[in-house]
């Protein structure tokens, strides 16, 4: 089950806000050897507020801030260590570079990781990046153009480095308690024609890991969208992802540096997939979306490799369509 609800509102010509919640319940392959299936619930929420116009005495600056919350709960006792809560906060300031379509910005983020486990450490990740976003028309008065965002910065992670006891032994989960890594966010949309659009995205960031404190993830996504008929929209999607966890072993080591005899090494993971989807408006206030995708995961150990198939049907409601403006 994947469900989400979001609402946006513009208070006046300058200030806007949006809020949303999501609930996910699933059972699918997992990246650890404790079990081949992972039953869990995932609750998410976000809030945003920002300005589209200068509100500070002619500085030409606009502002945006927000928060994202994620709560993951395992429904299997063997995976209780993966239960966690993540809270991410960000603030962004933009300044016009070229007309009103392209803007420069700095952005700061902070993520607080709370793990409900003695084996997984609590910690936080500070981030900073700067870049450019907006749109550039390629033809005067035409439809062809580029839209997107490009930014570079860093993520600095700091995690607890605590030992814990189990029986008569003392263990250490992950000694990599600090890390500073490159952060990249690139998103480019090319409007080829009124019917065809291409999207290319690349992201490098610090994320949650089942092995240790964190992992550095590189991901590339490509999407082609085509209006098949005036109402029916089709799309093709593909992605590739590379993950490098901070800990090189799938179980804790003894505090004195010894490793259990049955401990196996884990390493980088590569994932890739393709998918197709279709969207059709049933009414002015409702769209139906169908998609199917294929994913292949190649783990360091062949026992951690799997293939995943997924089909999704989504329904989108537009409250503005229930009360359309009167036509002249």
């Amino acid at each position: 089950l994947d469900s989400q609800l979001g609402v946006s509102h513009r208070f006046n010509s300058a200030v806007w806000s949006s809020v949303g919640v999501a609930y996910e319940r699933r059972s699918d392959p997992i990246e650890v050897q404790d079990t081949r299936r992972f039953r869990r619930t995932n609750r998410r929420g976000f809030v945003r507020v920002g300005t589209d116009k200068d509100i500070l005495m002619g500085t030409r600056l606009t502002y945006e801030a927000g928060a994202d919350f994620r709560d993951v709960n395992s429904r299997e006792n063997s995976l209780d260590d993966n239960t966690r809560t993540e809270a991410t906060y960000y603030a962004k300031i933009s300044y016009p570079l070229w007309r009103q379509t392209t803007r420069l910005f700095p952005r700061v983020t902070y993520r607080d990781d709370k793990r409900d486990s003695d084996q997984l450490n609590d910690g936080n990740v500070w981030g900073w990046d700067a870049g450019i976003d907006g749109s550039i028309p390629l033809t005067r008065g035409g439809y062809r153009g580029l839209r997107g965002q490009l930014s570079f910065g860093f993520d600095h992670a700091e995690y607890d480095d605590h030992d814990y006891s189990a029986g008569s032994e003392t263990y250490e989960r992950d000694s990599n308690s600090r890390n500073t890594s490159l952060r990249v966010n690139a998103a480019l949309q090319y409007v080829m024609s009124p019917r065809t659009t291409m999207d290319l995205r690349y992201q490098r960031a610090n994320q949650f890991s089942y092995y240790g404190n964190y992992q550095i993830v590189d991901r590339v996504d490509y999407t082609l969208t085509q209006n098949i008929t005036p109402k029916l929209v089709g799309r093709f999607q593909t992605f590739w992802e590379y993950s490098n966890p901070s800990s090189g072993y799938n179980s804790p080591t003894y505090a004195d540096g010894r490793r259990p005899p049955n401990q196996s090494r884990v390493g980088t993971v590569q994932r890739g997939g393709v998918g197709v989807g279709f969207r059709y408006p049933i009414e002015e206030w409702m769209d139906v979306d169908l998609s199917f995708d294929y994913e292949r995961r190649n783990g360091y150990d062949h026992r951690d490799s799997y293939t995943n198939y997924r089909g999704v049907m989504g329904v989108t409601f537009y409250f503005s369509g229930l009360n359309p403006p009167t036509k002249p």
Side-chain angles (χ1 to χ4, degrees):
L1 172 66
D2 294 280
S3 59
Q4 56 186 345
L5 173 66
V7 178
S8 298
H9 179 70
R10 184 171 294 277
F11 294 96
N12 51 48
S13 59
V15 180
W16 56 266
S17 68
S18 59
V19 296
V21 294
Y23 176 81
E24 181 183 34
R25 183 187 180 100
R26 57 191 308 122
S27 176
D28 57 9
I30 189 58
E31 299 178 3
V32 296
Q33 297 176 357
D34 298 330
T35 178
R36 298 309 304 163
R37 312 296 286 181
F38 184 16
R39 295 185 300 153
R40 65 191 184 278
T41 58
N42 190 346
R43 297 176 177 86
R44 305 189 307 275
F46 73 87
V47 59
R48 307 271 192 277
V49 62
T51 66
D52 286 338
K53 295 185 178 180
D54 177 18
I55 60 174
L56 190 62
M57 298 179 293
T59 60
R60 303 175 67 190
L61 298 176
T62 59
Y63 307 89
E64 182 180 341
D68 294 82
F69 307 95
R70 179 189 298 269
D71 182 66
V72 180
N73 285 282
S74 170
R75 302 181 64 85
E76 299 180 47
N77 293 334
S78 62
L79 294 172
D80 282 344
D81 289 336
N82 296 311
T83 299
R84 65 191 189 276
T85 300
E86 301 173 358
T88 303
Y89 309 89
Y90 80 94
K92 176 181 175 183
I93 301 176
S94 300
Y95 181 81
L97 173 66
W98 183 65
R99 299 181 180 178
Q100 293 297 320
T101 62
T102 306
R103 307 184 69 87
L104 296 174
F105 68 88
R107 175 173 49 198
V108 293
T109 60
Y110 172 74
R111 188 176 84 231
D112 186 27
D113 291 344
K114 297 293 186 183
R115 281 81 183 274
D116 296 340
S117 169
D118 292 332
Q119 297 189 36
L120 298 180
N121 297 316
D122 295 338
N124 56 72
V125 181
W126 286 94
W128 179 89
D129 65 339
I132 183 173
D133 63 5
S135 61
I136 302 175
L138 298 181
T139 57
R140 183 180 298 272
Y143 51 79
R144 294 178 61 243
L146 297 174
R147 290 194 292 264
Q149 179 182 113
L150 176 64
S151 66
F152 296 90
F154 66 87
D155 286 322
H156 179 71
E158 292 190 2
Y159 286 86
D160 298 337
D161 190 15
H162 296 159
D163 299 336
Y164 67 95
S165 298
S168 60
E169 299 288 353
T170 301
Y171 294 91
E172 179 185 60
R173 178 56 179 173
D174 187 357
S175 60
N176 295 314
S177 58
R178 292 189 179 186
N179 173 266
T180 299
S181 59
L182 177 66
R183 177 179 180 182
V184 182
N185 184 33
L188 179 65
Q189 183 182 76
Y190 174 36
V191 181
M192 300 177 60
S193 72
R195 300 180 57 186
T196 307
T197 302
M198 291 191 301
D199 290 87
L200 181 63
R201 295 176 179 270
Y202 168 69
Q203 183 182 41
R204 176 183 174 87
N206 178 298
Q207 296 182 8
F208 171 81
S209 173
Y210 294 105
Y211 300 107
N213 293 330
Y214 59 87
Q215 63 182 3
I216 306 302
V217 178
D218 293 90
R219 182 181 173 109
V220 180
D221 291 86
Y222 171 79
T223 303
L224 174 66
T225 304
Q226 175 74 35
N227 284 70
I228 301 173
T229 70
K231 287 189 174 183
L232 180 62
V233 179
R235 66 180 178 274
F236 168 80
Q237 299 168 294
T238 184
F239 82 93
W240 175 83
E241 183 179 279
Y242 179 86
S243 303
N244 188 7
S246 60
S247 177
Y249 293 88
N250 69 348
S251 61
T253 60
Y254 297 114
D256 59 7
R258 295 179 296 120
R259 299 193 180 104
N262 61 345
Q263 187 180 56
S264 61
R265 184 170 179 83
V266 299
T268 59
V269 173
Q270 295 188 52
R271 297 170 56 233
V274 295
V276 294
F278 300 92
R279 176 178 287 252
Y280 187 83
I282 302 298
E283 300 287 349
E284 290 186 0
W285 50 272
M286 182 177 69
D287 289 347
V288 173
D289 192 287
L290 300 174
S291 64
F292 177 80
D293 59 74
Y294 160 89
E295 174 190 343
R296 177 63 185 173
R297 178 187 187 277
N298 294 318
Y300 183 85
D301 189 318
H302 69 88
R303 292 173 296 177
D304 291 334
S305 301
Y306 60 77
T307 300
N308 196 29
Y309 303 90
R310 182 176 64 172
V312 178
M313 183 184 74
V315 180
T316 304
F317 298 95
Y318 304 94
F319 295 127
S320 58
L322 297 176
N323 186 24
T326 303
K327 296 181 180 180

